[in-house]
Coordinates of all heavy atoms in Angstrom, one line a residue:
N1 N 9.8 12.7 -12.0 CA 9.6 13.9 -12.9 C 8.1 14.1 -13.2 O 7.8 14.8 -14.2 CB 10.3 13.7 -14.2 CG 10.0 12.4 -15.0 OD1 9.2 11.6 -14.5 ND2 10.6 12.2 -16.1
Y2 N 7.2 13.6 -12.4 CA 5.8 13.9 -12.5 C 5.4 15.1 -11.6 O 5.7 15.0 -10.4 CB 4.9 12.6 -12.1 CG 3.5 12.8 -12.5 CD1 3.1 12.3 -13.8 CD2 2.5 13.3 -11.7 CE1 1.7 12.4 -14.1 CE2 1.2 13.4 -12.0 CZ 0.8 13.0 -13.3 OH -0.5 13.1 -13.7
M3 N 4.8 16.1 -12.2 CA 4.6 17.3 -11.5 C 3.7 17.1 -10.3 O 2.8 16.4 -10.3 CB 3.9 18.3 -12.4 CG 3.8 19.7 -11.8 SD 2.9 20.8 -12.9 CE 1.2 20.3 -12.6
G4 N 4.2 17.8 -9.2 CA 3.4 17.7 -8.0 C 3.9 16.7 -6.9 O 3.4 16.7 -5.8
F5 N 4.9 15.9 -7.3 CA 5.5 15.0 -6.4 C 7.0 15.1 -6.3 O 7.8 14.4 -6.9 CB 5.1 13.5 -6.8 CG 3.6 13.3 -6.7 CD1 2.9 13.4 -7.9 CD2 3.0 13.0 -5.6 CE1 1.5 13.2 -7.9 CE2 1.6 12.8 -5.5 CZ 0.9 12.9 -6.7
P6 N 7.5 16.2 -5.6 CA 8.9 16.5 -5.6 C 9.8 15.4 -5.0 O 11.0 15.3 -5.4 CB 9.0 17.8 -4.8 CG 7.8 17.8 -4.0 CD 6.7 17.1 -4.8
T7 N 9.3 14.6 -4.2 CA 10.1 13.5 -3.6 C 9.8 12.2 -4.3 O 10.3 11.1 -3.9 CB 9.7 13.3 -2.1 OG1 8.3 13.0 -1.9 CG2 10.1 14.5 -1.3
G8 N 9.1 12.2 -5.4 CA 8.8 11.0 -6.2 C 7.6 10.2 -5.7 O 7.1 10.4 -4.6
I9 N 7.1 9.4 -6.6 CA 6.0 8.5 -6.2 C 6.1 7.3 -7.1 O 6.5 7.3 -8.2 CB 4.6 9.2 -6.5 CG1 3.4 8.4 -6.0 CG2 4.4 9.6 -7.9 CD1 2.1 9.1 -6.0
S10 N 5.7 6.2 -6.5 CA 5.7 4.9 -7.3 C 4.6 5.0 -8.3 O 3.5 5.6 -8.1 CB 5.5 3.7 -6.4 OG 4.2 3.6 -6.0
G11 N 4.8 4.3 -9.5 CA 3.7 4.3 -10.5 C 2.4 3.7 -10.0 O 1.3 4.1 -10.3
A12 N 2.6 2.6 -9.2 CA 1.4 2.0 -8.6 C 0.6 2.9 -7.7 O -0.6 2.9 -7.8 CB 1.8 0.7 -7.9
D13 N 1.3 3.7 -6.9 CA 0.6 4.6 -6.0 C -0.1 5.7 -6.8 O -1.2 6.1 -6.5 CB 1.5 5.2 -5.0 CG 1.4 4.6 -3.6 OD1 0.3 4.1 -3.3 OD2 2.3 4.5 -2.8
L14 N 0.6 6.2 -7.8 CA 0.0 7.3 -8.6 C -1.3 6.9 -9.3 O -2.3 7.6 -9.2 CB 1.0 7.7 -9.7 CG 0.6 8.8 -10.6 CD1 0.4 10.1 -9.9 CD2 1.6 9.1 -11.8
V15 N -1.3 5.7 -9.9 CA -2.4 5.2 -10.6 C -3.5 4.8 -9.6 O -4.7 5.0 -9.9 CB -2.1 4.1 -11.6 CG1 -3.3 3.6 -12.3 CG2 -1.0 4.6 -12.6
W16 N -3.1 4.3 -8.4 CA -4.1 3.9 -7.4 C -4.9 5.1 -6.9 O -6.1 5.0 -6.7 CB -3.4 3.2 -6.2 CG -4.3 2.6 -5.2 CD1 -5.4 1.9 -5.5 CD2 -4.3 2.7 -3.8 NE1 -6.0 1.5 -4.3 CE2 -5.3 2.0 -3.3 CE3 -3.4 3.4 -2.9 CZ2 -5.6 1.9 -1.9 CZ3 -3.6 3.3 -1.6 CH2 -4.7 2.5 -1.1
R17 N -4.2 6.3 -6.8 CA -4.9 7.5 -6.5 C -6.0 7.8 -7.5 O -7.1 8.1 -7.2 CB -3.9 8.7 -6.4 CG -3.0 8.7 -5.2 CD -1.9 9.8 -5.4 NE -1.0 9.8 -4.3 CZ -1.0 10.7 -3.3 NH1 -1.9 11.6 -3.3 NH2 -0.1 10.7 -2.4
G18 N -5.6 7.6 -8.8 CA -6.6 7.9 -9.8 C -7.7 6.9 -9.8 O -8.9 7.2 -10.1
E19 N -7.4 5.6 -9.5 CA -8.5 4.6 -9.5 C -9.5 4.9 -8.4 O -10.7 4.8 -8.6 CB -7.8 3.2 -9.2 CG -8.8 2.1 -9.2 CD -8.2 0.8 -8.8 OE1 -7.0 0.8 -8.6 OE2 -8.9 -0.2 -8.8
I20 N -9.0 5.3 -7.2 CA -9.9 5.7 -6.1 C -10.7 6.9 -6.5 O -12.0 6.9 -6.3 CB -9.1 6.0 -4.9 CG1 -8.4 4.7 -4.3 CG2 -10.0 6.6 -3.8 CD1 -7.5 4.9 -3.2
Q21 N -10.1 7.9 -7.2 CA -10.9 9.1 -7.6 C -12.0 8.6 -8.6 O -13.1 9.1 -8.5 CB -9.9 10.0 -8.4 CG -9.5 11.2 -7.6 CD -8.6 12.1 -8.4 OE1 -7.6 11.6 -9.0 NE2 -8.9 13.3 -8.6
A22 N -11.6 7.8 -9.5 CA -12.6 7.4 -10.5 C -13.8 6.6 -9.9 O -14.9 6.8 -10.2 CB -11.9 6.5 -11.6
M23 N -13.5 5.7 -8.9 CA -14.5 5.0 -8.3 C -15.4 5.9 -7.5 O -16.6 5.7 -7.3 CB -13.9 3.9 -7.4 CG -13.3 2.7 -8.2 SD -12.8 1.3 -7.1 CE -11.5 2.0 -6.1
K24 N -14.8 6.9 -6.9 CA -15.6 7.9 -6.1 C -16.7 8.5 -7.0 O -17.8 8.8 -6.6 CB -14.7 9.0 -5.6 CG -15.5 10.1 -4.8 CD -14.5 11.2 -4.3 CE -14.2 12.1 -5.4 NZ -13.5 13.4 -4.9

């Protein structure tokens, strides 16, 4: 139920995306 991921996403993958963004 997180917007933008109609097939779902694991919590670890979601936050990992953010971590990479932040490090960038």
Side-chain angles (χ1 to χ4, degrees):
N1 57 358
Y2 192 88
M3 189 184 73
F5 298 95
T7 60
I9 185 171
S10 73
D13 256 331
L14 178 65
V15 181
W16 189 45
R17 288 172 181 256
E19 182 185 1
I20 293 172
Q21 257 182 306
M23 289 191 294
K24 180 184 78 169

